[in-house]
Amino acid sequence: MRADRLVSLVLLLRQRGRLTAGALARELEVSTRTVLRDIEALSAAGVPVYAERGRHGGFALLPGFRTELTGLNQDEALALLTAGSGRGEQAFGLGSALASAMRKVVDALPENHQAAASDAARRFLVEPDTDLLSRRPAAEEVSGTAMLEIRRAVLAGRRLRIHYAATGQAPQWRTVDPIGLVTVRDRGYLLATRSGADRTYRLSRVLAAEELPEPAQRPNAVDLDRVWRERCARFLSEGHIAVLVRVNPARREDLLSTVVALRTAEPESDGWLRLAVTFQDLRHAEWALWQLGTDAEALAPAALRTALRDRAAAIVRRYAAS
């Protein structure tokens, strides 16, 4: 852990020049005292770090010093920098590791390509907070300490105890066998088994976690993409109803706040959106679409169209002039 931090410190000084101890502490997410100790360790190891006093002082490397990080061409580095410029820093508590990796990527390039690659990556924007149709929902908060324990158990293949707050239930401790981690639209999930039965846990509902010493009961190899597809299909088929709907873009988020899942979304020629969504049942779908009035139209299934038509007809009869 400390070795990674020392490498990151050297790379920060190489790429940004002179930095104060406070600036280094903020970048590395440690205390100023830790930075000063790391500077001493680097100097003792022969890394030419020197301090400049005064108002504009700080720490810097002697000109011409290079680390031995090579092997990436410009396009490979650009691909990694672009991927790192998205929302990956929020996935599974790996933000600090991603920042460190991006510094190493830049440093791996020949000196005359470093500025060009960094500038090129700034020209690409991956998964921003807003799009042309609506504002993205806020990413779910996940406990950092719990995420660390979960990640360790998943990678080490050990059992895991989680304090989990299921919807409508008091939090309970559960012992599970972790299989893998999945992130979808800023929501993270732990795929696991419990007493041999498949279980999927929302990471934001894990209040605490503890890696256990005993090995997890799981296959040595896993096709996580296949497992996720199978669990999604099972979830959507268990008592739920698939609905095809047209909606005014201004009411998109109102609709999505009521659905169980969004499967597809496509713009139509008149500016409206065609969405394939999932509701709990027919009654739930009827209630949700009724709230949107004429800003939404159910296209399928026919039973939903009939239910909405009958409800509208009943309202007309009730308020018809006598």
Side-chain angles (χ1 to χ4, degrees), residues 205-249:
R205 294 177 183 163
V206 178
L207 307 180
E210 177 188 1
E211 179 190 3
L212 300 178
E214 58 262 32
Q217 301 300 309
R218 67 181 192 181
N220 291 329
V222 62
D223 183 346
L224 203 58
D225 185 58
R226 178 184 59 78
V227 172
W228 178 249
R229 288 199 309 269
E230 290 174 351
R231 294 198 180 187
C232 287
R234 191 182 314 140
F235 173 77
L236 295 175
S237 66
E238 292 176 348
H240 296 88
I241 181 175
V243 172
L244 187 62
V245 58
R246 295 179 72 249
V247 64
N248 184 328

Side-chain angles (χ1 to χ4, degrees), residues 276-292:
V277 296
T278 302
F279 289 100
Q280 293 175 1
D281 50 34
L282 182 62
R283 185 177 179 182
H284 177 212
E286 179 186 345
W287 169 84
L289 293 178
W290 186 260
Q291 312 307 308
L292 300 181

Side-chain angles (χ1 to χ4, degrees), residues 18-293:
R18 187 184 305 111
L19 289 171
T20 65
L24 289 167
R26 287 191 295 273
E27 288 286 344
L28 299 173
E29 298 181 357
V30 296
S31 67
T32 302
R33 181 176 298 178
T34 297
V35 168
L36 295 176
R37 286 200 299 265
D38 288 348
I39 293 290
E40 290 180 4
L42 288 172
S43 297
V47 177
V49 184
Y50 68 94
E52 290 191 1
R53 308 292 180 183
R55 181 179 177 184
H56 300 291
F59 295 98
L61 294 169
L62 287 177
F65 176 76
R66 285 197 57 81
T67 53
E68 296 299 325
L69 293 171
T70 59
L72 290 178
N73 63 38
Q74 189 169 2
D75 283 346
E76 291 170 339
L78 177 58
L80 291 174
L81 289 170
T82 300
S85 69
R87 305 177 68 82
E89 74 278 1
Q90 298 175 359
F92 312 136
L94 292 171
S96 297
L98 179 62
S100 174
M102 291 303 101
R103 286 191 288 269
K104 293 177 182 178
V105 167
V106 172
D107 200 77
L109 293 172
E111 192 167 352
N112 59 333
H113 290 165
Q114 289 180 6
S118 296
D119 181 69
R122 286 192 288 269
R123 306 291 177 177
F124 299 161
L125 181 60
V126 181
E127 292 292 328
D129 286 335
T130 58
D131 63 28
L132 295 178
L133 300 175
S134 65
R135 179 172 178 80
R136 295 171 61 103
E140 295 185 333
E141 294 294 328
V142 182
S143 164
T145 53
M147 191 65 252
L148 178 60
E149 291 291 309
I150 293 170
R151 197 169 68 239
R152 284 176 174 171
V154 168
L155 296 178
R158 295 195 178 95
R159 282 194 156 175
L160 182 68
R161 285 185 75 231
I162 56 173
H163 196 214
Y164 191 73
T167 304
Q169 300 179 22
Q172 296 180 356
W173 283 98
R174 309 163 189 225
T175 298
V176 302
D177 295 297
I179 295 173
L181 293 166
V182 176
T183 180
V184 182
R185 298 187 180 92
D186 295 330
R187 289 182 177 179
Y189 300 89
L190 166 67
L191 306 190
T193 60
R194 186 181 178 204
S195 301
D198 290 347
R199 293 289 185 269
T200 302
Y201 299 101
R202 181 87 65 84
L203 290 177
S204 61
R205 294 177 183 163
V206 178
L207 307 180
E210 177 188 1
E211 179 190 3
L212 300 178
E214 58 262 32
Q217 301 300 309
R218 67 181 192 181
N220 291 329
V222 62
D223 183 346
L224 203 58
D225 185 58
R226 178 184 59 78
V227 172
W228 178 249
R229 288 199 309 269
E230 290 174 351
R231 294 198 180 187
C232 287
R234 191 182 314 140
F235 173 77
L236 295 175
S237 66
E238 292 176 348
H240 296 88
I241 181 175
V243 172
L244 187 62
V245 58
R246 295 179 72 249
V247 64
N248 184 328
R251 303 299 301 278
R252 176 181 185 268
E253 292 305 316
D254 294 332
L255 173 64
L256 294 186
S257 67
T258 65
V259 306
V260 173
L262 167 66
R263 293 182 292 158
T264 62
E266 299 176 358
E268 295 201 318
S269 58
D270 61 358
W272 278 38
L273 298 172
R274 179 182 291 249
L275 306 179
V277 296
T278 302
F279 289 100
Q280 293 175 1
D281 50 34
L282 182 62
R283 185 177 179 182
H284 177 212
E286 179 186 345
W287 169 84
L289 293 178
W290 186 260
Q291 312 307 308
L292 300 181

